[in-house]
Structures are given as structure tokens and as C-alpha cells.
Amino acid sequence: MSASDFEAQLVHLPDYFSSHVLLTLGAVAIGCLISLPLAFLALRKPTLRTLLLGAASIVQTIPGLALLALMVPLLGRIGVVPALVALVLYSMLPVLRNTVTGVQGVDAAVLEAARGIGMTDGQILTRVQIPLAAPMIVAGVRTAAVWTVGMATLSTPVGATSLGNYIFSGLQTQNTAAVVIGCVAAATLAIGLDGLIRLAQLAAERRDGRLTLASLLLLATLVGLSSAPVLGRWLRRDDAPHAIVGAKTFTEQYILADLISNRLRDAGFDVELREGLGSTVAFDALVTGDIDVYVDYSGTLWTNQMKRAEHAGDSPSLLAEMRSWLESNHGISLLGTLGFENAYALAMRRERADALGIANLSDLAERSRNLAIGADYEFFARPEWGAVRDRYAMMFREQRTFDSTLMYRAVVDGHVDVISAFSSDGRVSAFDLVVLEDPLQAFPPYDAVVLLSQRAARRPALVAALLPLIGSIDDARMRGANELVDVGGRSISEAAHSLEQDVRR
């Protein structure tokens, strides 16, 4: 890591940090507004109390990323809304539990004294139990805030900007500076919020109005500073047309999204990036208009979206049928192909393949019972894997899932024998991997295509800005750009600039 690596990443810090703060505080605030009345109601109804605490506990058992992912199909959109809903649900348990425990823990003698002077149950709750339980309630809010800061970093794959943008992109592109900045910023925010709410807790314990005022002022300052970048973006949108560019979760997608964003900015657009999206999430976001443009691959669309199991045929035929299907079923425009193919393929270390006499997928199938296969997060759940496995009758000893960056290192270090590689990935040649031939053509073609939402296709300036990209990037150029990042350690912007230079030639 060099100073320039950190400088390049720090440019994004105001945007990522402010979005993370607002997402966290919004979720905790809404969670408290829901949890506190429910807790007070549950105190009067023991059956409801058991039900609420049980439901909140169940939510906590769901992995954070899974809970966020569930919100996308349930709500039918990506971005802040599904992330906020998931975080609200996640924040409720400590507030519910601490409120119920705190109120129930008030000394019975105090309650008896309150009844002795004629207080009603409502007055006892609001004037005695809640004030005495306030430190415990605030402690629950404190716990909820720290938990939510951590979980909010997982909101990147559902399209919400957060400090997770640093972590997810840094892991994919092996950018240690990005990961470090994301982790340090998230930890700083968690410690800061914990201290701020601790101040409020002390104010409640001591019933100190000045401490209460200080904590509120500090909170208002944090919200104000975090809102400034967001307000700045909204004000800029008044002067320029807005465009949202999507990207999936691997290096090539980050590079292409940056390339597209730069071209749109040069054409006068105010561009927002939604990176780290899953294949289905990205496509659904384009359909709903949550993003305007992204790059997908013909084979992915053929199998995942069109649900076609039969052989895809040649690229021109597949693209023609796909263009018609996208337009008629979803109003999506296929602007064209970029000129290269990024095909799924199975790859092995050359020396391992030579030692076992494996040159193609048929050879691999014969020896698969004694071998281990590794793949990225999506591969084993995709129709392509099912088609390849069944057509070649493969039965591996072990299947392991990796982050796509770590997957290549796993096969190089011998943790697995074969991986699901990408044909345009520069690490294939850099690590001396051999891509196994597919004699039965189980994998479809994977031409990189630019897709436009219905709204984006009606904007001539946007279309004109992207048309020069069509047919301008061949396999070698894309592989070289990927290698710059994955092997050479260069930044995404540098790789995108190298492609832009090729396009302009």
C-alpha cells in the first residue's frame, strides 16, 4: 500500500461515510419509534411480550446479508429502502428487550409507594417506571446502534451506498487500502456513536439536563455534517440530467461501470454508481428503473432471466432472440455488444491438468470423484452449472464456495483442483491456468452487452454517449484491463482509462 492508494480511496470517503451514518441513524431511529410503543404495550400483555421478543430474536438469527437479500424480492426494489427495512428489523431486539427488562426491574416497593399515593397504572409507567428504566433503555439503543453500524456495511449488494462499498470493492480488486479505510471508518463510527449514546445514558442516569443537551447537539451536528454531501448531490441534480450505473461484484464489472460513468459525465450527466449487485438484483433493478444502464452477459441472460435450458446456438442468433425478448417482456433495450466475451469456464493449474491428463470437461468428469471444485458465490446456484454437471455426469468429491478473488488463489495453492473461471480474467494467464475445452458446448456464449432501462433508452444524449463503446473492446483489451487491477495492483480508474484510450483510437 502506498500513500497514493489511500489518497485515491479517500476521495469517496465523504459520500460513503455520510450515507452510512444516515442509513444507520435512520434505521435506529425508526427501530426505536416502533420498538418502544410495542415494548410498553407488551408490558401489559404477557402473551404479546413473549411473541414480540421471540420474533425479534428470530430476526437476529438470520444472517445479516441474507436478511438484506430477502428484502429485495419482498419489496421489489433495490437501494436504500430494502437496506433500511432490514436494518430496522435488526435494530429492534436490544431496544425491545432492554425496555421490557428495565421497566420490569423497577423495585416493587417503589411501585407500591406510587400506588399508595394514588397514581394510576399509566402514571406509574410514565412518571416512575420509564424514568427509572431510562438508563437500561438507552443502553439497548446503544447496543442497537453499534450492531446496525456493522450490518450496514452489508447493504452494498442490495444497492445502498455505505462504507461496505470500500470493503466489497476492495476485496474483489485486492485493494488493501480500500478495505482498511472501510474497516477503520466503520469502527470509528461505531465507537463514536457508542460514546455519544453513552453520554445520553449518563444524562439519563444522573438526570442531568446539560448532558442531555450536549448529547442532542452532538447528534444534530453528526446528522448535519452527514447530510451535507447528500444535499450537495441533490442540488447538483438540478443542473444536470441524472443517470444511475449498475455493476456486479467482480473486477471487470467495476472497470466497465467506471468507463460508462466517465463517458456519461463527459456528456454532462450527474452519475450515481450502484456497485456490488448480484446478477438477478442488477437485472431486476434495470427493469424497475432503479438503475439506468449496466453490462451483462448473453449466457447469463439466456439461462437466468429467459430460463432457457436448451442449447443457445451461435452468438448472432442468441442475441437477436434476446433483444426481442428483453424489449417485449421488460422494455429493456440491448444497445449492443462491447466486442468481447467473458465466458464461464472450468480451469485448472496447468501442471495439475497435465499430471492427470485432463484437457477438456469430458476428461474432468471421468476423474471428478477424486477432485475438489471451487467457485464464486453464484456459480453452484446457476443453471449453467446444473447443465454442465448433468451433461458431463460430474460428481466432485467436494464443492467449495469462495470470493471470486480468493478463488484463484485457492486453485493456485492447491486447496481445490478446479475452479469456475472467467475467460476474460487476466489471472488465467498470469497464474498459468488452463481453461478446459467444452466439447459438448454445455456453456452458452457470454458476449458482454450494454443494457438500458426503458427510461434510459428514451434519452438520446445517454445513448449517443455510450454508442462509441459498442464493438470497441476485444477480448485482449478487456483481459489486459482486468490484469492491470487483479495482477498489477492498479486502480479501477486506471484500468477504465486504459480502455477509454483504446476506444478513442
Side-chain angles (χ1 to χ4, degrees):
M1 292 183 292
S2 65
S4 60
D5 293 332
F6 282 98
E7 289 174 7
Q9 294 301 322
L10 287 172
V11 172
H12 304 293
L13 185 59
D15 183 28
Y16 294 172
F17 191 82
S18 63
S19 297
H20 199 108
V21 170
L22 295 177
L23 186 60
T24 299
L25 293 181
V28 173
I30 296 171
C32 289
L33 289 174
I34 296 172
S35 299
L36 292 173
L38 286 176
F40 298 144
L41 180 61
L43 286 165
R44 296 177 179 274
K45 299 181 181 297
T47 303
L48 179 61
R49 179 167 66 244
T50 302
L51 182 63
L52 285 174
L53 290 175
S57 298
I58 289 171
V59 169
Q60 286 291 329
T61 66
I62 302 173
L65 190 57
L67 182 61
L68 284 157
L70 282 172
M71 291 301 112
V72 174
L74 289 177
L75 299 175
R77 60 184 303 178
I78 69 165
V80 172
V81 173
L84 186 63
V85 172
L87 293 175
V88 167
L89 292 174
Y90 200 75
S91 71
M92 289 176 62
L93 176 62
V95 180
L96 276 171
R97 186 173 54 200
N98 278 39
T99 301
V100 171
T101 302
V103 171
Q104 288 183 323
V106 174
D107 195 325
V110 174
L111 300 180
E112 187 63 30
R115 292 190 184 93
I117 62 174
M119 281 189 175
T120 65
D121 287 345
Q123 289 173 326
I124 291 173
L125 177 64
T126 57
R127 298 183 184 181
V128 179
Q129 289 175 298
I130 292 177
L132 291 176
M136 176 73 78
I137 296 171
V138 176
V141 176
R142 186 177 171 189
T143 301
V146 173
W147 285 3
T148 306
V149 169
M151 184 174 169
T153 58
L154 301 175
S155 60
T156 297
V158 299
T161 301
S162 72
L163 292 169
N165 286 46
Y166 274 132
I167 296 169
F168 279 90
S169 64
L171 287 173
Q172 292 296 325
T173 60
Q174 301 185 66
N175 190 323
T176 306
V179 176
V180 168
I181 291 173
C183 292
V184 170
T188 301
L189 176 58
I191 293 169
L193 279 180
D194 184 65
L196 179 58
I197 301 173
R198 170 60 178 159
L199 185 63
Q201 187 177 4
L202 288 174
E205 290 172 353
R206 300 174 184 177
R207 301 186 184 182
D208 189 327
R210 288 177 298 179
L211 279 180
T212 301
L213 180 60
S215 63
L216 290 175
L217 286 175
L218 287 172
L219 180 62
T221 301
L222 178 62
V223 172
L225 291 174
S226 300
S227 301
V230 177
L231 291 173
R233 289 198 301 271
W234 286 348
L235 291 174
R236 287 195 300 271
R237 288 181 189 178
D238 293 337
D239 302 323
H242 188 59
I244 306 174
V245 179
K248 300 186 190 183
T249 58
F250 52 95
T251 300
E252 181 171 290
Q253 285 278 306
Y254 291 123
I255 295 172
L256 293 173
D258 199 66
L259 174 64
I260 289 171
S261 298
N262 290 336
R263 293 198 68 86
L264 292 177
R265 289 190 187 99
D266 291 344
F269 284 85
D270 177 46
V271 178
E272 179 181 350
L273 269 173
R274 297 272 181 88
E275 298 176 313
L277 307 176
S279 292
T280 301
V281 171
F283 183 81
D284 291 345
L286 194 74
V287 173
T288 59
D290 287 323
I291 61 176
D292 293 306
V293 55
Y294 84 106
V295 174
D296 212 326
Y297 305 92
S298 57
T300 297
L301 296 168
W302 180 264
T303 56
N304 285 18
Q305 272 67 50
M306 296 176 68
K307 308 297 183 185
R308 303 292 287 272
E310 71 272 20
H311 190 271
D314 59 19
S315 290
S317 301
L318 183 149
L319 290 169
E321 185 172 350
M322 182 179 298
R323 187 188 300 272
S324 175
W325 183 87
L326 289 170
E327 182 65 40
S328 60
N329 286 274
H330 298 291
I332 291 174
S333 293
L334 194 159
L335 187 63
T337 65
L338 289 174
F340 71 92
E341 183 182 10
N342 185 5
Y344 258 125
L346 298 187
M348 302 179 67
R349 283 181 297 136
R350 188 176 301 279
E351 61 183 72
R352 179 69 168 154
D354 290 344
L356 295 175
I358 297 175
N360 57 47
L361 297 187
S362 296
D363 297 335
L364 178 66
E366 292 177 6
R367 295 162 178 77
S368 60
R369 289 184 180 275
N370 299 315
L371 303 178
I373 183 172
D376 60 69
Y377 300 128
E378 293 186 13
F379 184 70
F380 291 130
R382 291 174 67 113
E384 296 99 309
W385 164 239
V388 170
R389 180 196 59 209
D390 295 343
R391 192 165 297 181
Y392 287 98
M394 292 181 179
M395 184 64 70
F396 285 93
R397 182 191 78 238
E398 182 183 11
Q399 289 184 187
R400 300 179 64 181
T401 301
F402 298 91
D403 176 272
S404 60
T405 300
L406 302 179
M407 177 180 69
Y408 286 90
R409 179 53 58 188
V411 74
V412 170
D413 292 343
H415 297 298
V416 292
D417 300 287
V418 58
I419 59 169
S420 61
F422 307 104
S423 63
S424 62
D425 199 309
R427 287 168 292 193
V428 171
S429 58
F431 294 156
D432 194 27
L433 303 182
V434 56
V435 174
L436 304 179
E437 295 180 8
D438 177 16
L440 301 182
Q441 295 184 309
F443 284 113
Y446 286 90
D447 294 294
V449 295
V450 179
L451 301 182
L452 303 178
S453 68
Q454 193 171 40
R455 176 184 59 194
R458 294 197 299 262
R459 303 167 80 176
L462 187 149
V463 173
L466 300 183
L467 273 176
L469 296 178
I470 302 305
S472 65
I473 305 173
D474 60 24
D475 290 1
R477 285 171 175 164
M478 191 68 247
R479 193 176 298 114
N482 288 330
E483 190 170 352
L484 278 178
V485 177
D486 292 328
V487 181
R490 309 290 285 275
S491 68
I492 292 294
S493 58
E494 288 177 298
H497 180 71
S498 74
L499 284 182
E500 179 64 32
Q501 296 300 107
D502 290 336
V503 171
R504 294 181 183 277
R505 288 192 182 104

